[in-house]
Amino acid sequence: MIQQNISLKPFNTFGIEQSAKYFVSFSSIDMLKSALVDPETQGLEKLVLGGGSNILLTKPFNGLILKNNLRGISIQKEDEKFVWVKSMAGEGWHDFVMFAIQNDFGGIENLSLIPGNVGAAPMQNIGAYGVEIKDVFHELEAMDIETGDEVRFTKKRCQFGYRESIFKRAFKNKYIITSVTLKLTKQHTLKTSYGAIKDELKNITHPNIKDVSDAVIRIRQSKLPDPKEIGNSGSFFKNPVIPMAQFKLLQEKFPEIANYPVNKHFVKIAAGWLIDQAGWKGKTIDNYGVHKNQALVLVNYGGASGENIYQLSEDILNDIKSKYGIELEREVNIY
Ligand code: FAD
Ligand code: NAP
C-alpha cells in the first residue's frame, strides 16, 4: 500500500521535480488510519496532499505523503431556505461547485474554477470575487495525525481570516481534514461587486447562480495561466492589509496605488499592482518567472527547481519592501 521513492512532479501544479520517500493514496478512513500506524513510517514527518495547487516543493520529502482520495457528496439536512451539504475532502473543489450549481444550491458560485480539493479549501479559507468559504462554512471533520482521533471543527474553531485559518497556523500539519459541510442557500443573494463580474453580466436582466459561475469561469480562463500548460500555484503572495495611516503616506507618494478599504482602520493593497509597478510583471529568468498578465503568479515554464522559484519570491519580497515599505507574505505553502 505504501510506495517508496515516488516523484512528486505529477502531484504539484508548479510541476516541480521532487521526491517523496514514502507515499500513500487513501480512499477510506480505515486506509488512512492504517497508514498512520504503519510501523515503517512511524516517527516520520507526514504531509497531506490534495491537488498540490498551493504548494512549492523546495527539497526532497523524507517522510510520508498522504494523498487524499476520499470521495462522496451527501445532503445532510435542509429547510425552506438552506441546505447542508457534506463533501468528503478528496472531491475536486470545482466539481463540488458544479454539483451545487446543478442542484441550484447557492453561495459558492463565485468560487468556480479554483483548483484543488475540498479538503484544502478551509486551510486558507479560499476566496475569490468577494466570497470566501467561511461565508458558507458549517463544520469540518478532521483526524489528528499523531493520535488518529477524529475531531469536529465548528466555524469558530477554524479561526478563519483573509486566506487564513488555524490549519495554516497553530494546527499546520497536525490534522487531516476528512470532510467539509457547507450551508448553502435555496434563495440566493448574488455577489457581483467585483468589476469584472458586473461587466460580464451586463447583458443579462435577471442573472442566476449559473450565470455568475459561467461569468467567473470565463474571466478566470481569460486571465489565469492554466497549470496544465504553465506550472504555477496561483497567487504566490497575499494582498497586504495595512493601517490607514501607512496607506495615506503611501498614497501621497503613489497616487495610483490600487487599494480597497477593509474598514475604517485598514486598507487592502493589490499586491499585483505593487509587483507590476516595481517592474517584475512578465520578467523571465531562464525557465521561470513572473506571469505576463498576472504579476501575483510565479510560473515554471518547465524544469525550474523549487529553490529557483523560492529565490525569485525572496527577490520580489525584498524589492517591494525597499520600494514601498510593505512586507509581502507568501500565500503558497513552502515545503
Ligand atoms: P494542496 O496544494 O494539495 O495543499 C495545500 C496545503 O493544504 C498544504 O499545506 C497541505 O498539506 C494542506 N492540505 C491539503 N489537503 C488537506 C487536508 N485534507 N487536510 C489538511 N490539510 C490539507 N486560491 C484561492 O483561495 N482563490 C483562488 O481564486 C485561487 N485560484 C487559483 C488559481 C490557480 C491557477 C491555482 C494554481 C491556484 C489557485 N488558488 C486559489 C490556490 C489553490 O487552488 C487553493 O489554495 C486550493 O484550496 C488548494 O487546494 P489543493 O487541494 O491543491 O491543496
Ligand atoms: P483582479 O480582479 O484583477 O483584482 C486585483 C486585486 O484587487 C484582487 O486581488 C482583489 O483582492 C482586489 N479587488 C478587485 N476588485 C475588488 C473589489 N471590488 N473589492 C475588494 N477587492 C477587490 O484580481 P484577479 O487577480 O483577476 O483575481 C480575481 C479573483 O480571484 C480575486 O478575488 C483573487 O483573490 C482570486 N484569485 C486568487 C488566486 C489565488 O491563488 N489565491 C489566484 C487567482 C485568482 P482579493 O484577492 O482579496 O479578492
Side-chain angles (χ1 to χ4, degrees):
M1 185 173 98
I2 295 184
Q3 299 168 273
Q4 282 195 41
N5 302 321
I6 291 291
S7 162
L8 293 176
K9 194 171 174 189
F11 300 105
N12 72 98
T13 61
F14 250 125
I16 301 287
E17 184 59 89
Q18 269 308 346
S19 61
K21 180 101 191 273
Y22 297 99
F23 180 99
V24 67
S25 171
F26 60 94
S27 52
S28 70
I29 298 290
D30 284 346
M31 278 175 85
L32 172 59
K33 279 189 173 159
S34 22
L36 290 179
V37 296
D38 190 283
E40 208 174 352
T41 59
Q42 280 314 291
L44 294 183
E45 198 183 343
K46 314 262 184 327
L47 174 64
V48 59
L49 212 54
S53 65
N54 204 13
I55 55 168
L56 177 68
L57 301 168
T58 60
K59 52 184 185 295
F61 188 75
N62 288 320
L64 173 65
I65 297 277
L66 298 150
K67 173 81 175 94
N68 190 339
N69 203 20
L70 297 170
R71 308 306 282 264
I73 298 176
S74 56
I75 292 171
Q76 298 295 292
K77 63 171 185 173
E78 55 190 306
D79 61 21
E80 279 143 50
K81 290 185 179 162
F82 298 103
V83 55
W84 284 256
V85 188
K86 172 174 170 174
S87 171
M88 296 307 286
E91 289 288 339
W93 171 260
H94 181 66
D95 296 340
F96 181 60
V97 175
M98 290 299 99
F99 170 89
I101 302 285
Q102 276 151 20
N103 287 281
D104 199 31
F105 301 154
I108 50 177
E109 53 280 359
N110 294 46
L111 304 179
S112 297
L113 217 63
I114 297 181
N117 286 5
V118 169
M123 162 92 181
Q124 74 155 8
N125 179 26
I126 56 165
Y129 301 101
V131 173
E132 296 172 315
I133 193 174
K134 78 166 173 46
D135 303 337
V136 291
F137 183 89
H138 176 60
E139 67 173 18
L140 62 77
E141 292 170 311
M143 190 181 286
D144 186 318
I145 294 183
E146 266 316 296
T147 63
D149 290 345
E150 291 172 67
V151 198
R152 261 173 219 277
F153 283 81
T154 57
K155 184 168 170 172
K156 194 166 176 225
R157 273 192 82 194
C158 291
Q159 296 181 15
F160 290 123
Y162 182 60
R163 306 289 188 267
E164 276 298 345
S165 77
I166 194 157
F167 302 102
K168 215 170 173 177
R169 298 269 178 205
F171 289 170
K172 184 144 192 187
N173 299 339
K174 185 163 166 51
Y175 286 98
I176 298 169
I177 296 167
T178 53
S179 79
V180 178
T181 301
L182 302 184
K183 183 182 169 187
L184 301 176
T185 58
K186 290 182 169 178
Q187 297 153 22
H188 316 306
T189 308
L190 301 185
K191 293 201 174 143
T192 56
S193 60
Y194 273 45
I197 297 194
K198 258 192 211 137
D199 285 352
E200 278 289 323
L201 294 175
K202 66 177 183 289
N203 295 325
I204 304 177
T205 325
H206 298 294
N208 57 30
I209 56 170
K210 182 163 187 323
D211 295 320
V212 174
S213 169
D214 288 345
V216 168
I217 290 172
R218 278 196 301 275
I219 301 164
R220 293 183 71 105
Q221 283 175 336
S222 71
K223 290 182 77 174
L224 286 169
D226 180 350
K228 287 195 196 91
E229 287 158 21
I230 306 174
N232 76 90
S233 269
S235 304
F236 202 92
F237 304 99
K238 287 186 195 177
N239 289 320
V241 175
I242 62 170
M244 187 61 82
Q246 185 186 0
F247 167 68
K248 293 276 179 216
L249 289 173
L250 266 173
Q251 203 183 29
E252 274 172 27
K253 255 175 112 178
F254 308 101
E256 305 293 310
I257 190 166
N259 69 92
Y260 300 90
V262 174
N263 53 38
K264 271 199 319 210
H265 308 290
F266 288 95
V267 179
K268 180 177 74 180
I269 307 293
W273 186 91
L274 298 173
I275 298 168
D276 184 2
Q277 294 298 305
W280 289 94
K281 193 171 171 181
K283 200 172 181 103
T284 301
I285 307 128
D286 301 330
N287 47 3
Y288 61 97
V290 181
H291 192 253
K292 62 178 178 5
N293 302 329
Q294 276 287 346
L296 264 187
V297 179
L298 305 190
V299 287
N300 170 18
Y301 294 108
S305 68
E307 290 100 318
N308 288 152
I309 307 274
Y310 187 82
Q311 186 55 52
L312 172 62
S313 73
E314 193 70 10
D315 294 344
I316 294 173
L317 279 174
N318 290 334
D319 193 36
I320 299 304
K321 172 88 182 147
S322 74
K323 286 189 170 124
Y324 302 98
I326 292 180
E327 195 117 26
L328 290 181
E329 200 184 327
R330 293 178 182 89
E331 181 177 304
V332 169
N333 300 278
I334 313 292
Y335 290 103

